Amino acid sequence: MIPSEVYKSSPAVLPTHIGPPAMHPAAPRPTTATVPAPACAVRPFWAPWKAGLALGAVLLLSFVLTGHGLGATGFTTRLVAWAGGSVAPVATQANAYLGPMLEDGHPLAAWISWQVLGMALGALFAAWRAGRLRLQVDGERALGRPRRLAMALLGGMAAGFGARISAGCTSGLGLSGAATLSLAGFVFLGAFFATGLIVSRLVRGVQ
């Protein structure tokens, strides 16, 4: 027990503030909720003339550094030759088109394999830097996903067949061929753009 003398001499402790308790100076004041900024803002596409100049510079460097132009479907052809040599080596070696690619035993050991690999990695990095890296199927709203994927597969097969018949694709025959003033390259580019304009009018609005 507390002695009565001490209790009487102790001053009464009264609250000095009447009302809601004051906030501590260091306590954060309540603020309205803020929407967090996106991790990577979407950057606009390059202007067409800038992209064209950059593509021309890449094509020039490809000729200077490797002695070859740009290409793409040549890699898929060598990939088919490698797969055929692994599954059916006798039939693949007897094929007049794929057989010569198996003569050294390493159909994928070519400059175009490294170029396509670098192109894929560069495109992946550029899409990530621009905030556009996502998975999507273009055209599925109008056609539906199964039909859109089937049409893309058929279109890819037709483009690949045409590229092998013409001995080059858009980059291998069109860009690289025109850069070396090849007549076939200019004919290809003219037919390519004319066909693209016609087809774009037929499928306009497909998303």
Side-chain angles (χ1 to χ4, degrees):
M1 295 194 51
I2 303 176
S4 58
E5 293 81 9
V6 175
Y7 180 80
K8 291 180 181 179
S9 61
S10 300
V13 179
L14 299 177
T16 58
H17 176 77
I18 304 235
M23 298 182 61
H24 193 275
R29 295 181 178 273
T31 57
T32 57
T34 58
V35 179
C40 184
V42 177
R43 299 183 180 182
F45 290 110
W46 284 13
W49 66 271
K50 291 182 179 180
L53 289 177
L55 180 58
V58 170
L59 180 59
L60 178 61
L61 289 175
S62 177
F63 276 115
V64 172
L65 298 178
T66 69
H68 302 278
L70 298 177
T73 55
F75 167 73
T76 59
T77 305
R78 290 183 169 273
L79 185 62
V80 170
W82 172 80
S86 301
V87 177
V90 177
T92 306
Q93 290 175 358
N95 186 277
Y97 186 74
L98 300 176
M101 301 181 188
L102 298 176
E103 292 179 353
D104 60 353
H106 302 283
L108 294 180
W111 64 272
I112 197 170
S113 301
W114 297 105
Q115 179 209 291
V116 171
L117 177 61
M119 180 175 60
L121 294 177
L124 186 66
F125 177 75
W128 173 74
R129 286 284 298 168
R132 300 179 182 275
L133 184 60
R134 61 184 180 272
L135 296 177
Q136 66 179 28
V137 179
D138 294 333
E140 67 173 335
R141 286 189 295 175
L143 301 177
R145 176 165 294 190
R147 185 182 176 189
R148 179 67 183 94
L149 294 177
M151 295 296 291
L153 178 61
L154 292 176
M157 293 173 61
F161 180 79
R164 292 300 88 204
I165 293 298
S166 61
C169 58
T170 310
S171 54
L173 179 58
L175 295 177
S176 301
T180 56
L181 302 181
S182 170
L183 178 60
F186 287 107
V187 172
F188 173 85
L189 286 178
F192 175 81
F193 280 108
T195 306
L197 289 174
I198 295 173
V199 174
S200 66
R201 301 293 296 181
L202 297 177
V203 298
R204 182 182 295 273
V206 176
Q207 299 179 353

